[in-house]
Amino acid sequence: MKAIRFHQAGGPEVLRIEDVPLGDPGPGEVRIRHTAVALNFRDILVRRGQHAAKLPSGLGTESAGVIEAAGPGVTEFKPGDRVVTVCRPDCAYAEARIAPAARVLKLPDGIDDRTAASMMVRGMTARYLIRETYKVKPGDAIVIHAAAGGVGMIVSQWAKHLGATVIGTVGSDDKEAVARANGCDHVLRYDDFAPKVREITGGKGVPVVYDSVGRVTFEGSLKSLAPRGILASFGESSGDPPPVSVRELGHMGSLFVTHPSLGDYTPTRAELLETVNDLFGVVASGKVKIAVNHSYSLWDVVQAHRDVEGRKTTGSVVLIP
Ligand SMILES: NC(=O)c1ccc[n+]([C@@H]2O[C@H](COP(=O)([O-])OP(=O)(O)OC[C@H]3O[C@@H](n4cnc5c(N)ncnc54)[C@H](OP(=O)(O)O)[C@@H]3O)[C@@H](O)[C@H]2O)c1
Protein backbone atom coordinates (compact mmCIF):
# COMPACT_ATOMS: atom_id res chain seq x y z
CA MET A 1 0.00 0.00 0.00
CA LYS A 2 1.03 3.64 -0.32
CA ALA A 3 1.87 5.66 2.77
CA ILE A 4 3.45 8.97 3.70
CA ARG A 5 6.78 8.53 5.47
CA PHE A 6 9.82 10.61 6.40
CA HIS A 7 13.45 9.66 6.97
CA GLN A 8 14.65 12.84 8.64
CA ALA A 9 12.98 15.58 10.66
CA GLY A 10 12.43 18.89 8.88
CA GLY A 11 10.06 20.99 6.79
CA PRO A 12 7.03 19.68 4.88
CA GLU A 13 9.32 18.64 1.98
CA VAL A 14 10.71 15.70 4.02
CA LEU A 15 7.37 13.91 3.57
CA ARG A 16 7.45 11.25 0.83
CA ILE A 17 5.02 8.82 -0.75
CA GLU A 18 6.36 5.27 -0.33
CA ASP A 19 5.21 1.69 -0.89
CA VAL A 20 5.11 -0.17 2.40
CA PRO A 21 3.96 -3.70 3.19
CA LEU A 22 0.89 -4.14 5.40
CA GLY A 23 0.27 -7.62 6.74
CA ASP A 24 -2.70 -9.26 8.41
CA PRO A 25 -3.89 -8.07 11.81
CA GLY A 26 -2.46 -10.00 14.79
CA PRO A 27 -4.33 -11.01 17.95
CA GLY A 28 -6.50 -8.15 19.22
CA GLU A 29 -5.88 -6.07 16.09
CA VAL A 30 -7.91 -4.96 13.05
CA ARG A 31 -6.95 -3.75 9.58
CA ILE A 32 -8.71 -0.54 8.53
CA ARG A 33 -8.99 0.67 4.91
CA HIS A 34 -8.90 4.49 5.24
CA THR A 35 -11.50 6.85 3.83
CA ALA A 36 -10.31 9.98 5.68
CA VAL A 37 -7.23 10.87 7.75
CA ALA A 38 -6.84 13.78 10.17
CA LEU A 39 -4.10 16.38 9.99
CA ASN A 40 -3.53 17.41 13.61
CA PHE A 41 -1.05 20.08 14.67
CA ARG A 42 0.85 17.39 16.59
CA ASP A 43 1.75 15.77 13.24
CA ILE A 44 3.67 18.93 12.36
CA LEU A 45 5.57 18.81 15.66
CA VAL A 46 6.45 15.14 15.01
CA ARG A 47 7.60 15.90 11.46
CA ARG A 48 9.78 18.79 12.70
CA GLY A 49 11.37 16.56 15.36
CA GLN A 50 9.82 18.53 18.26
CA HIS A 51 8.01 15.35 19.33
CA ALA A 52 10.19 12.25 19.29
CA ALA A 53 9.80 9.75 16.43
CA LYS A 54 11.91 6.70 15.60
CA LEU A 55 13.06 7.32 12.00
CA PRO A 56 12.15 6.42 9.35
CA SER A 57 8.57 6.90 10.43
CA GLY A 58 5.02 7.18 9.23
CA LEU A 59 2.87 10.07 10.43
CA GLY A 60 -0.55 10.70 11.93
CA THR A 61 -2.61 8.99 14.61
CA GLU A 62 -6.25 9.60 13.63
CA SER A 63 -8.20 8.03 10.77
CA ALA A 64 -11.65 6.82 9.72
CA GLY A 65 -12.49 3.95 7.41
CA VAL A 66 -13.85 0.46 7.05
CA ILE A 67 -12.73 -2.73 8.79
CA GLU A 68 -11.09 -5.01 6.22
CA ALA A 69 -10.00 -7.84 8.52
CA ALA A 70 -10.20 -8.64 12.23
CA GLY A 71 -7.39 -10.59 13.97
CA PRO A 72 -7.76 -13.53 16.36
CA GLY A 73 -9.78 -12.74 19.48
CA VAL A 74 -11.49 -9.64 18.08
CA THR A 75 -15.26 -9.97 18.58
CA GLU A 76 -16.42 -6.33 18.53
CA PHE A 77 -15.60 -5.64 14.86
CA LYS A 78 -16.22 -7.41 11.54
CA PRO A 79 -15.32 -6.58 7.92
CA GLY A 80 -17.46 -3.73 6.61
CA ASP A 81 -17.91 -1.90 9.94
CA ARG A 82 -17.41 1.88 9.70
CA VAL A 83 -14.88 2.90 12.33
CA VAL A 84 -12.54 5.62 13.56
CA THR A 85 -9.32 5.25 15.51
CA VAL A 86 -6.75 7.34 17.32
CA CYS A 87 -3.64 5.34 18.15
CA ARG A 88 0.10 4.98 17.84
CA PRO A 89 2.46 4.23 16.22
CA ASP A 90 2.17 7.18 13.85
CA CYS A 91 1.00 5.61 10.58
CA ALA A 92 -2.43 7.07 9.82
CA TYR A 93 -1.21 8.93 6.68
CA ALA A 94 -1.69 5.83 4.52
CA GLU A 95 -4.23 3.91 2.47
CA ALA A 96 -4.75 1.50 5.36
CA ARG A 97 -3.41 0.63 8.81
CA ILE A 98 -3.34 -2.02 11.49
CA ALA A 99 -4.79 -0.79 14.81
CA PRO A 100 -5.38 -2.31 18.25
CA ALA A 101 -9.12 -3.04 18.51
CA ALA A 102 -9.11 -1.48 22.00
CA ARG A 103 -8.52 1.95 20.39
CA VAL A 104 -11.08 1.56 17.59
CA LEU A 105 -14.65 2.90 17.76
CA LYS A 106 -17.73 2.18 15.66
CA LEU A 107 -19.14 5.24 13.92
CA PRO A 108 -22.77 6.20 14.43
CA ASP A 109 -24.78 6.60 11.18
CA GLY A 110 -25.18 10.36 11.67
CA ILE A 111 -21.42 11.06 11.57
CA ASP A 112 -19.74 10.87 8.16
CA ASP A 113 -16.15 9.71 7.71
CA ARG A 114 -14.58 13.13 7.10
CA THR A 115 -16.26 14.59 10.15
CA ALA A 116 -15.22 11.56 12.21
CA ALA A 117 -11.59 11.79 11.13
CA SER A 118 -11.46 15.46 11.95
CA MET A 119 -13.15 15.43 15.33
CA MET A 120 -11.72 12.65 17.49
CA VAL A 121 -8.40 14.09 18.72
CA ARG A 122 -9.70 17.66 18.70
CA GLY A 123 -13.10 16.81 20.18
CA MET A 124 -11.78 14.42 22.84
CA THR A 125 -9.19 17.03 23.81
CA ALA A 126 -11.88 19.72 24.05
CA ARG A 127 -13.97 17.35 26.15
CA TYR A 128 -11.31 16.51 28.74
CA LEU A 129 -10.25 20.18 28.96
CA ILE A 130 -13.71 21.56 29.75
CA ARG A 131 -15.19 18.58 31.60
CA GLU A 132 -12.17 17.32 33.56
CA THR A 133 -9.05 19.54 33.64
CA TYR A 134 -11.33 22.40 34.74
CA LYS A 135 -15.06 21.61 34.81
CA VAL A 136 -16.71 24.61 33.14
CA LYS A 137 -19.84 25.83 34.97
CA PRO A 138 -22.64 28.20 33.95
CA GLY A 139 -21.53 31.76 34.65
CA ASP A 140 -17.77 31.05 34.35
CA ALA A 141 -15.67 33.22 32.07
CA ILE A 142 -12.96 31.21 30.32
CA VAL A 143 -10.08 31.99 27.94
CA ILE A 144 -9.39 29.76 24.93
CA HIS A 145 -6.41 30.61 22.72
CA ALA A 146 -6.38 29.90 18.94
CA ALA A 147 -10.17 30.02 19.14
CA ALA A 148 -10.63 29.64 15.35
CA GLY A 149 -8.45 26.52 15.23
CA GLY A 150 -9.54 22.90 15.38
CA VAL A 151 -9.57 22.39 19.15
CA GLY A 152 -10.38 26.06 19.78
CA MET A 153 -13.58 26.03 17.78
CA ILE A 154 -14.91 22.97 19.60
CA VAL A 155 -13.95 24.29 23.07
CA SER A 156 -15.64 27.61 22.28
CA GLN A 157 -18.94 26.03 21.19
CA TRP A 158 -19.02 23.44 23.96
CA ALA A 159 -18.13 25.94 26.74
CA LYS A 160 -20.79 28.33 25.42
CA HIS A 161 -23.32 25.50 25.50
CA LEU A 162 -22.33 24.85 29.15
CA GLY A 163 -23.22 28.47 29.97
CA ALA A 164 -19.77 30.09 30.04
CA THR A 165 -18.71 33.51 28.78
CA VAL A 166 -16.09 32.59 26.21
CA ILE A 167 -13.08 34.85 25.62
CA GLY A 168 -11.15 33.67 22.56
CA THR A 169 -7.87 34.82 21.07
CA VAL A 170 -6.89 34.65 17.37
CA GLY A 171 -4.12 35.82 15.06
CA SER A 172 -6.06 37.71 12.35
CA ASP A 173 -9.23 39.64 11.48
CA ASP A 174 -10.61 36.78 9.37
CA LYS A 175 -10.22 34.41 12.27
CA GLU A 176 -11.92 36.87 14.62
CA ALA A 177 -15.14 36.49 12.62
CA VAL A 178 -14.80 32.68 12.70
CA ALA A 179 -14.30 32.70 16.48
CA ARG A 180 -17.36 34.89 17.04
CA ALA A 181 -19.49 32.64 14.84
CA ASN A 182 -18.42 29.67 16.98
CA GLY A 183 -19.41 30.90 20.41
CA CYS A 184 -16.82 33.47 21.48
CA ASP A 185 -18.39 36.43 23.29
CA HIS A 186 -15.13 38.38 23.15
CA VAL A 187 -12.26 37.96 20.69
CA LEU A 188 -8.79 39.31 21.52
CA ARG A 189 -5.26 39.18 20.05
CA TYR A 190 -2.22 37.48 21.55
CA ASP A 191 -0.17 40.62 22.26
CA ASP A 192 -2.42 42.46 24.71
CA PHE A 193 -5.08 40.08 25.95
CA ALA A 194 -4.32 39.89 29.72
CA PRO A 195 -5.39 43.45 30.69
CA LYS A 196 -8.48 43.07 28.48
CA VAL A 197 -9.41 39.80 30.19
CA ARG A 198 -9.23 41.68 33.54
CA GLU A 199 -11.41 44.42 32.13
CA ILE A 200 -14.02 41.97 30.79
CA THR A 201 -14.14 40.12 34.13
CA GLY A 202 -14.40 43.29 36.26
CA GLY A 203 -10.82 42.85 37.51
CA LYS A 204 -11.34 39.30 38.79
CA GLY A 205 -9.62 37.25 36.09
CA VAL A 206 -10.76 33.84 34.85
CA PRO A 207 -10.74 30.46 36.64
CA VAL A 208 -9.14 28.75 33.63
CA VAL A 209 -7.08 29.53 30.53
CA TYR A 210 -6.82 26.81 27.86
CA ASP A 211 -3.52 27.62 26.15
CA SER A 212 -2.25 25.70 23.10
CA VAL A 213 -0.22 28.59 21.69
CA GLY A 214 2.56 28.36 24.28
CA ARG A 215 5.54 30.69 24.05
CA VAL A 216 3.80 33.92 23.03
CA THR A 217 0.75 33.56 25.29
CA PHE A 218 2.00 31.74 28.41
CA GLU A 219 2.86 34.79 30.52
CA GLY A 220 -0.35 36.61 29.60
CA SER A 221 -2.30 33.45 30.39
CA LEU A 222 -0.91 33.40 33.95
CA LYS A 223 -1.73 37.11 34.33
CA SER A 224 -5.33 36.47 33.21
CA LEU A 225 -6.10 33.99 36.00
CA ALA A 226 -8.16 34.62 39.13
CA PRO A 227 -6.67 33.36 42.43
CA ARG A 228 -6.45 29.54 42.42
CA GLY A 229 -7.01 29.58 38.65
CA ILE A 230 -5.74 26.84 36.33
CA LEU A 231 -3.52 27.30 33.31
CA ALA A 232 -4.05 24.26 31.09
CA SER A 233 -1.00 24.53 28.81
CA PHE A 234 -1.99 21.82 26.33
CA GLY A 235 0.06 22.79 23.27
CA GLU A 236 2.88 24.91 21.94
CA SER A 237 2.00 26.02 18.42
CA SER A 238 4.22 29.12 18.74
CA GLY A 239 7.05 27.33 20.59
CA ASP A 240 7.72 25.96 24.06
CA PRO A 241 6.48 28.06 26.98
CA PRO A 242 9.14 29.55 29.29
CA PRO A 243 10.04 27.79 32.56
CA VAL A 244 7.73 28.52 35.51
CA SER A 245 8.85 29.59 38.98
CA VAL A 246 6.76 27.67 41.49
CA ARG A 247 7.17 30.48 44.06
CA GLU A 248 5.94 32.98 41.48
CA LEU A 249 2.76 30.92 41.08
CA GLY A 250 2.17 31.53 44.79
CA HIS A 251 2.69 35.28 44.45
CA MET A 252 0.30 35.41 41.49
CA GLY A 253 -2.58 33.94 43.54
CA SER A 254 -1.91 30.26 44.33
CA LEU A 255 -2.16 29.36 40.64
CA PHE A 256 -2.10 25.85 39.13
CA VAL A 257 -0.27 24.97 35.91
CA THR A 258 -0.74 21.66 34.12
CA HIS A 259 0.33 20.22 30.77
CA PRO A 260 -2.48 17.74 30.13
CA SER A 261 -2.46 15.18 27.35
CA LEU A 262 -5.21 13.13 25.74
CA GLY A 263 -3.51 9.79 26.44
CA ASP A 264 -3.53 10.45 30.19
CA TYR A 265 -7.25 11.31 30.12
CA THR A 266 -8.31 8.24 28.09
CA PRO A 267 -5.97 5.41 29.19
CA THR A 268 -8.64 2.70 29.52
CA ARG A 269 -11.33 1.50 27.12
CA ALA A 270 -13.98 2.64 29.63
CA GLU A 271 -12.57 6.18 29.82
CA LEU A 272 -12.18 6.31 26.05
CA LEU A 273 -15.83 5.27 25.56
CA GLU A 274 -17.09 7.75 28.15
CA THR A 275 -15.22 10.57 26.41
CA VAL A 276 -16.32 9.53 22.92
CA ASN A 277 -19.96 9.01 23.87
CA ASP A 278 -20.05 12.49 25.37
CA LEU A 279 -18.47 13.90 22.20
CA PHE A 280 -20.75 11.99 19.81
CA GLY A 281 -23.69 13.21 21.93
CA VAL A 282 -22.95 16.93 21.61
CA VAL A 283 -22.17 16.55 17.90
CA ALA A 284 -25.29 14.47 17.14
CA SER A 285 -27.49 16.98 19.01
CA GLY A 286 -25.99 19.88 17.03
CA LYS A 287 -24.70 21.61 20.19
CA VAL A 288 -21.19 21.34 18.75
CA LYS A 289 -20.66 21.59 15.00
CA ILE A 290 -17.47 20.16 13.53
CA ALA A 291 -16.07 22.45 10.86
CA VAL A 292 -14.24 20.32 8.29
CA ASN A 293 -13.03 23.47 6.58
CA HIS A 294 -10.12 22.02 4.58
CA SER A 295 -9.89 18.77 2.66
CA TYR A 296 -6.74 17.76 0.72
CA SER A 297 -5.73 14.66 -1.16
CA LEU A 298 -3.40 12.68 1.13
CA TRP A 299 -0.84 12.83 -1.69
CA ASP A 300 -0.89 16.68 -1.42
CA VAL A 301 0.15 16.43 2.22
CA VAL A 302 3.15 18.75 1.72
CA GLN A 303 0.84 21.63 0.79
CA ALA A 304 -1.57 20.74 3.58
CA HIS A 305 1.26 20.93 6.15
CA ARG A 306 2.43 24.25 4.69
CA ASP A 307 -1.05 25.73 5.02
CA VAL A 308 -1.54 24.58 8.63
CA GLU A 309 1.92 25.83 9.68
CA GLY A 310 1.30 29.05 7.77
CA ARG A 311 -1.82 29.60 9.94
CA LYS A 312 -4.01 29.62 6.83
CA THR A 313 -6.54 27.11 8.17
CA THR A 314 -9.52 27.29 10.51
CA GLY A 315 -11.37 24.38 12.10
CA SER A 316 -10.34 20.87 11.10
CA VAL A 317 -8.19 19.62 8.21
CA VAL A 318 -8.61 16.17 6.61
CA LEU A 319 -6.52 14.22 4.09
CA ILE A 320 -8.29 11.89 1.66
CA PRO A 321 -6.35 8.82 0.45
N1 LIG B 1 -2.30 18.05 24.81
C1 LIG B 1 -3.22 17.47 24.07
O1 LIG B 1 -3.88 16.51 24.50
C2 LIG B 1 -3.49 18.00 22.70
C3 LIG B 1 -4.39 17.34 21.87
C4 LIG B 1 -4.70 17.92 20.62
C5 LIG B 1 -4.08 19.09 20.23
N2 LIG B 1 -3.16 19.67 21.05
C6 LIG B 1 -2.53 20.94 20.67
O2 LIG B 1 -3.58 21.87 20.52
C7 LIG B 1 -3.24 22.84 19.53
C8 LIG B 1 -4.36 22.93 18.52
O3 LIG B 1 -4.34 21.77 17.67
P1 LIG B 1 -5.14 21.78 16.29
O4 LIG B 1 -4.72 20.54 15.59
O5 LIG B 1 -6.57 22.03 16.55
O6 LIG B 1 -4.45 23.02 15.52
P2 LIG B 1 -5.09 24.44 15.13
O7 LIG B 1 -5.54 25.12 16.38
O8 LIG B 1 -6.10 24.23 14.08
O9 LIG B 1 -3.84 25.18 14.53
C9 LIG B 1 -2.94 25.86 15.35
C10 LIG B 1 -3.34 27.34 15.49
O10 LIG B 1 -2.46 27.94 16.44
C11 LIG B 1 -2.36 29.31 16.16
N3 LIG B 1 -0.96 29.74 16.25
C12 LIG B 1 -0.48 30.69 17.07
N4 LIG B 1 0.81 30.87 16.87
C13 LIG B 1 1.19 30.02 15.90
C14 LIG B 1 2.44 29.77 15.24
N5 LIG B 1 3.57 30.42 15.57
N6 LIG B 1 2.48 28.82 14.27
C15 LIG B 1 1.37 28.16 13.93
N7 LIG B 1 0.15 28.36 14.52
C16 LIG B 1 0.07 29.29 15.49
C17 LIG B 1 -2.92 29.53 14.74
O11 LIG B 1 -4.16 30.24 14.86
P3 LIG B 1 -4.11 31.86 14.69
O12 LIG B 1 -3.69 32.11 13.27
O13 LIG B 1 -5.48 32.30 15.03
O14 LIG B 1 -3.08 32.34 15.66
C18 LIG B 1 -3.14 28.14 14.22
O15 LIG B 1 -4.24 28.06 13.34
C19 LIG B 1 -1.88 22.40 18.98
O16 LIG B 1 -0.88 23.11 19.68
C20 LIG B 1 -1.82 20.94 19.33
O17 LIG B 1 -0.50 20.46 19.40
C21 LIG B 1 -2.86 19.15 22.26
Side-chain angles (χ1 to χ4, degrees), residues 41 122 125 128 149-151 171 175 190 212 234 237 260-262 311:
F41 201 88
R122 292 168 168 121
T125 300
Y128 83 67
V151 177
K175 291 192 179 183
Y190 302 125
S212 68
F234 70 102
S237 302
S261 75
L262 181 55
R311 301 164 73 166

Side-chain angles (χ1 to χ4, degrees), residues 39-43 45 48 51 121-122 125-126 128-129 145-153 169-172 175-176 190 211-213 215-217 233-239 259-263 265 307-317:
L39 195 175
N40 285 297
F41 201 88
R42 176 187 171 275
D43 307 341
L45 301 177
R48 286 178 186 159
H51 280 206
V121 167
R122 292 168 168 121
T125 300
Y128 83 67
L129 287 172
H145 291 303
V151 177
M153 236 189 234
T169 62
V170 295
S172 67
K175 291 192 179 183
E176 176 164 345
Y190 302 125
D211 188 344
S212 68
V213 171
R215 192 176 55 78
V216 305
T217 47
S233 172
F234 70 102
E236 41 278 324
S237 302
S238 70
H259 192 305
S261 75
L262 181 55
Y265 280 86
D307 289 349
V308 173
E309 286 184 288
R311 301 164 73 166
K312 290 187 181 155
T313 61
T314 59
S316 294
V317 181

Side-chain angles (χ1 to χ4, degrees):
M1 64 148 191
K2 295 213 181 304
I4 301 296
R5 293 177 58 78
F6 63 114
H7 293 243
Q8 63 186 72
E13 66 285 351
V14 300
L15 300 176
R16 297 184 196 165
I17 305 169
E18 291 183 354
D19 286 311
V20 294
L22 186 70
D24 290 326
E29 293 178 336
V30 293
R31 191 170 68 225
I32 304 169
R33 177 68 41 186
H34 289 156
T35 50
V37 173
L39 195 175
N40 285 297
F41 201 88
R42 176 187 171 275
D43 307 341
I44 288 171
L45 301 177
V46 173
R47 191 208 71 219
R48 286 178 186 159
Q50 288 169 262
H51 280 206
K54 188 172 169 287
L55 299 176
S57 175
L59 200 56
T61 55
E62 177 177 10
S63 49
V66 176
I67 298 280
E68 228 175 31
V74 174
T75 52
E76 204 181 328
F77 302 102
K78 60 178 186 327
D81 286 344
R82 288 178 63 237
V83 295
V84 66
T85 188
V86 177
C87 62
R88 310 244 178 105
D90 286 65
C91 61
Y93 287 19
E95 290 175 317
R97 77 173 296 167
I98 305 276
R103 305 307 289 182
V104 176
L105 302 146
K106 275 194 190 149
L107 276 176
D109 287 343
I111 297 181
D112 66 73
D113 295 22
R114 286 179 192 221
T115 305
S118 63
M119 68 182 252
M120 302 308 296
V121 167
R122 292 168 168 121
M124 290 196 288
T125 300
R127 193 264 182 197
Y128 83 67
L129 287 172
I130 63 175
R131 304 298 305 271
E132 296 193 49
T133 308
Y134 173 82
K135 216 169 164 52
V136 174
K137 304 180 297 298
D140 280 340
I142 65 144
V143 171
I144 170 75
H145 291 303
V151 177
M153 236 189 234
I154 300 174
V155 167
S156 301
Q157 294 178 67
W158 204 331
K160 185 76 191 162
H161 160 65
L162 292 171
T165 297
V166 181
I167 306 170
T169 62
V170 295
S172 67
D173 290 347
D174 292 353
K175 291 192 179 183
E176 176 164 345
V178 173
R180 283 193 194 283
N182 281 277
C184 289
D185 299 284
H186 306 271
V187 185
L188 308 175
R189 296 302 157 87
Y190 302 125
D191 47 4
D192 60 350
F193 67 90
K196 291 182 178 159
V197 169
R198 290 273 161 205
E199 217 176 286
I200 290 165
T201 55
K204 286 198 314 210
V206 291
V208 66
V209 176
Y210 299 115
D211 188 344
S212 68
V213 171
R215 192 176 55 78
V216 305
T217 47
F218 190 80
E219 214 173 291
S221 296
L222 287 176
K223 289 181 180 159
S224 301
L225 288 169
R228 304 201 305 271
I230 297 177
L231 170 48
S233 172
F234 70 102
E236 41 278 324
S237 302
S238 70
D240 284 343
V244 191
S245 152
V246 174
R247 284 193 65 180
E248 190 57 22
L249 294 179
H251 296 147
M252 294 181 84
S254 305
L255 304 182
F256 296 83
V257 177
T258 179
H259 192 305
S261 75
L262 181 55
D264 290 329
Y265 280 86
T266 54
T268 65
R269 180 81 179 159
E271 284 162 296
L272 178 66
L273 288 176
E274 189 187 345
T275 299
V276 167
N277 288 337
D278 212 4
L279 174 63
F280 283 169
V282 289
V283 171
S285 67
K287 287 168 186 144
V288 170
K289 293 193 170 51
I290 304 298
V292 192
N293 286 350
H294 309 270
S295 175
Y296 297 80
S297 161
L298 176 57
W299 319 119
D300 289 336
V301 65
V302 170
Q303 187 59 47
H305 269 227
R306 285 201 176 113
D307 289 349
V308 173
E309 286 184 288
R311 301 164 73 166
K312 290 187 181 155
T313 61
T314 59
S316 294
V317 181
V318 287
L319 305 167
I320 307 300

